[in-house]
Amino acid sequence: MTDPRPLRPRRALTVAALAVAGLIVLSACSTGTASTGTTADAEPTAGGTITLGRVASVTSFDLNNEITANNAFAIDKVFEPLVAFDADGQIIPWLASEWTISEDGLTYAFTLRDGVTFSDGTELTPADVVFSLERHLAVGGPLPLDAPIGSIVADGDAGVTITLTEAYTPFLAELSGFQNGIFPADFQGKSETDFFADPIGTGPFVVSEWDPAGDLTFAANENYWESGQPYIDTLVYKLIADDTQLTQQLKAGQINAIDEVNSADVESLKSSADITVETVGSWEIEQMFMNTTNTYFGDRNVRRAIAMSLDRDGITQATTFGTAEVANSLIPPTIASSANDEGYALDFDVDAAKAELAKSAYPDGFTATLLIASGNSLRAQEAQIIQESLSKIGITIEIESIDIAAFRARFFAYDFDAMLNSGQSDYPDPDALVSFQADPAGFSKSYWTSYENPDVTALLDEGRTTADGADRDAIYLEIQKILAEDVPYIPLFYPSTLKATSSTVHDLTVLPNGSIRFQDAWISE
């Protein structure tokens, strides 16, 4: 999806921090499935309510026009794609039970799963799939179907054939994103506005009550295709706009799950017999972003000097209490082609930073603003450390902390000097993260930095058509090397995904994109 679609449309990614505070978790945890509160021999109990505390409300269910995690991780409870990914990042069948790919890699033939209906009981048909994906192509939006699709055709009662005009390696992975969920053809005769105000999908839950500025209540989809699921009757997303309040309300029993955990609270939560803490490896990366249209940050030497002045290891230890992994590249090690072990990142060296700044147009330093979202104690700590670090090379940083809605509006408008934020890949392929953060023609113009390098752009195109393997890995390693040297953003650390629940909540499936599958979840006495 793009606004009007650019000549070279690029993939976007869910920006986790656009809507939520950073997730800080144990770096030693597995990248595999985390099912919160699993009891090996216990049988799931039907009924009950899970109330999940979240720091941002759900404002829209229009899956083709959304990008932020506050909406994405509600949308994926209602709408489902043809294929999905599991907690290990492997592509798995979902609404499609199987598929075949032609030898030339251009034709994908999907067979729909038997017995799937929408939440109102109407049957899922190939026409619904064609309509949904064609609407996505027409809308464009922030998370486009970037594959070079020539046609999407219904094939009989249960088949859909998608033909590409050229090979596109990330195609199946791209289809697994929430933005490619399927909805009824022609919106069941409703207007788009009316349909998405009361959405109908194939997912495990339906919208029961919804305040776009407050809480959201889901009811179990009684027509869900997975027999006997979901187990719970109700899922509530409760708005709690401060990460400290999330923890306090969980401890007090006012809610029984939280979507965000302050790293300072990890040990306290884990020590409680009434609370369960689970983690999985994530596709997220915490970063400092610099607006290259800014007078100062448009200077490559300035950006390099800033990178050299930051002790990323120290920032990680101080702000995450040793619970996150220092980032040395844009792509997290949980995704293929990561350069985290390659040593491309500029080393922490204050003297070298001063020398680099001396090469810039501002050798005597300058004053700039660092934008952060309020209500996030971790980002406040990061900002203070960065402020102190840059003062040592003559750069004065003024910290501007504003509420999440204003923060989002500011950087969507490119109205910032530098900011702290995190990126979240939508699917398990290096293309997702790299394209969103390095393509000036994409929706975000290189994650709102306006960074542009023609060598990177050419490599992005090459990476999409090169088959998985050593040659493709080399392309993304080279991209990460260039980004490490140009420094439009500074990777700080890789959070894992952490969720905390009361001990009565069992079998939440936590995914590496930060979302949770609730259809297996249940409540014990």
Side-chain angles (χ1 to χ4, degrees), residues 22 28 41 85 100 167-168 178 206 218 228 236 243 246 255 278 313-314 321 337 355 396 409 416 422 425 458 460 517:
D41 300 322
F85 50 82
T100 60
Y168 186 83
F178 77 91
V206 297
F218 292 105
V236 177
D243 56 0
L246 283 175
I255 56 178
E278 295 286 349
D313 183 73
F321 295 83
S337 306
T396 300
F416 69 97
S422 66
S425 184
L460 284 172
R517 288 200 176 115

Side-chain angles (χ1 to χ4, degrees), residues 42 169 201 203 271 320 355 368:
T169 302
S271 67
T320 73

Side-chain angles (χ1 to χ4, degrees), residues 21-22 55 240-248 258 260-263 265 374-379:
V55 299
I240 303 170
D242 182 87
D243 56 0
T244 301
Q245 281 295 315
L246 283 175
T247 300
Q248 291 177 352
I258 61 174
E260 307 294 330
V261 177
N262 189 321
S263 56
D265 297 328
S374 59
N376 185 329
S377 54
L378 175 133
R379 292 255 168 81

Side-chain angles (χ1 to χ4, degrees), residues 90-130:
Q90 300 299 309
I91 300 301
I92 56 176
W94 210 255
L95 293 185
S97 59
E98 59 184 7
W99 58 88
T100 60
I101 306 172
S102 62
E103 289 187 8
D104 60 8
L106 299 182
T107 303
Y108 291 71
F110 297 91
T111 300
L112 298 185
R113 188 182 297 275
D114 289 337
V116 178
T117 67
F118 290 103
S119 58
D120 65 351
T122 57
E123 182 182 2
L124 171 70
T125 69
D128 299 314
V129 176
V130 173

Side-chain angles (χ1 to χ4, degrees), residues 344-356:
Y344 296 151
L346 298 179
D347 292 334
F348 169 52
D349 187 328
V350 175
D351 290 336
K354 292 177 179 177
E356 192 73 30

Side-chain angles (χ1 to χ4, degrees), residues 408-426:
R408 188 185 307 154
R410 282 277 297 276
F411 71 78
F412 273 3
Y414 304 91
D415 182 16
F416 69 97
D417 298 340
M419 68 170 172
L420 291 176
N421 212 332
S422 66
Q424 174 72 68
S425 184
D426 285 305

